Amino acid sequence: ANKEDYEYCKDALLEAQNNMEVHRLLEKGHDPNRKLDWQGRTKLILSTFKGQKDVVAELINYGQADVSARASTGHSALMYAAGEGHTDLMQMFLAAGANVNDAVTGMRNGDGTRPKEYNPVKAAEGFTALHFACRNFKLRASALLLDHGANMDAKEHTGTTPLKFAMKSKSKHVRNKFKMLFENVRKLREEAEE
């Protein structure tokens, strides 16, 4: 295939707006795991970002899209879904085998070095899906991740845990809900170990 055909195929999948269009393109042999933008995001990641449940379902069920695929920044579809609180999408990814504890690796050049303008804070280096859910105060998403074994003590690049992000809420009610959730899960996990 020549470069023009490749660009056409890439753009067709990128621009597909619904599950019917995606299904048609997958039938024609389009790769559901193709990197579609400069950040290396796949259609699954981009559709998750937009909350397109029907497209995500089509990519997973018909296209056998890799739910563990990551953008070149290290972000996964599960991370995007958790940060937005899309628990329905999160359930699809977890059922299809997404790793609940994957962490953002940050952008790297082809030789493994960091880009000159690389900023670990901006890149959210070390964040897991639970970090994103807690930073955005998504309680249900956090509970779902914890139910699936998310590491509640995971630290991002500065050493901050998911719960510390949740404790930054201006609402005492929200802070208390997260604190109770984490305490209950910790207690249940400790009891399970006995």
Side-chain angles (χ1 to χ4, degrees):
N2 62 33
K3 184 170 172 45
E4 196 174 288
D5 288 344
Y6 174 82
E7 289 301 319
Y8 166 76
C9 289
K10 182 179 89 171
D11 290 344
L13 197 55
L14 186 60
E15 293 171 12
Q17 297 298 313
N18 60 52
N19 62 321
M20 308 269 268
E21 290 178 31
V22 168
H23 185 87
R24 186 177 48 77
L25 292 170
L26 292 171
E27 278 184 327
K28 288 185 174 184
H30 287 256
D31 180 0
N33 299 312
R34 181 183 305 224
K35 308 285 185 185
L36 298 176
D37 65 6
W38 67 274
Q39 290 182 15
R41 295 182 293 189
T42 63
K43 183 67 176 177
L44 185 71
I45 292 172
L46 292 167
S47 299
T48 300
F49 193 67
K50 295 176 183 174
Q52 296 174 312
K53 185 178 178 180
D54 61 334
V55 173
V56 168
E58 193 68 32
L59 288 163
I60 293 172
N61 297 329
Y62 181 77
Q64 300 297 303
D66 180 3
V67 294
S68 298
R70 294 169 171 238
S72 52
T73 57
H75 291 78
S76 67
L78 180 62
M79 293 173 194
Y80 282 114
E84 296 298 318
H86 295 307
T87 53
D88 48 355
L89 295 177
M90 292 170 63
Q91 287 173 329
M92 281 193 248
F93 300 139
L94 292 165
N99 185 336
V100 74
N101 289 312
D102 277 346
V104 174
T105 54
M107 187 83 82
R108 294 203 179 270
N109 295 321
D111 63 2
T113 61
R114 297 281 189 202
K116 199 183 333 183
E117 313 80 32
Y118 182 76
N119 177 336
V121 174
K122 221 173 160 186
E125 190 177 314
F127 272 54
T128 63
L130 188 57
H131 281 94
F132 286 108
C134 288
R135 184 185 70 181
N136 294 336
F137 314 119
K138 304 296 183 186
L139 187 66
R140 285 188 179 147
S142 298
L144 179 61
L145 292 166
L146 289 167
D147 282 348
H148 282 83
N151 180 356
M152 63 176 55
D153 298 316
K155 294 181 173 138
E156 46 80 273
H157 76 284
T158 66
T160 305
T161 62
L163 183 58
K164 274 191 178 174
F165 278 111
M167 292 297 102
K168 292 179 182 178
S169 172
K170 291 180 172 128
S171 165
K172 185 177 180 180
H173 178 72
V174 169
R175 291 192 308 271
N176 286 340
K177 289 277 189 188
F178 273 95
K179 194 174 173 187
M180 281 177 42
L181 171 65
F182 275 73
E183 285 172 359
N184 288 337
V185 169
R186 189 171 308 282
K187 187 176 169 187
L188 287 170
R189 288 180 180 179
E190 286 169 1
E191 288 171 4
E193 288 177 9
E194 293 174 0

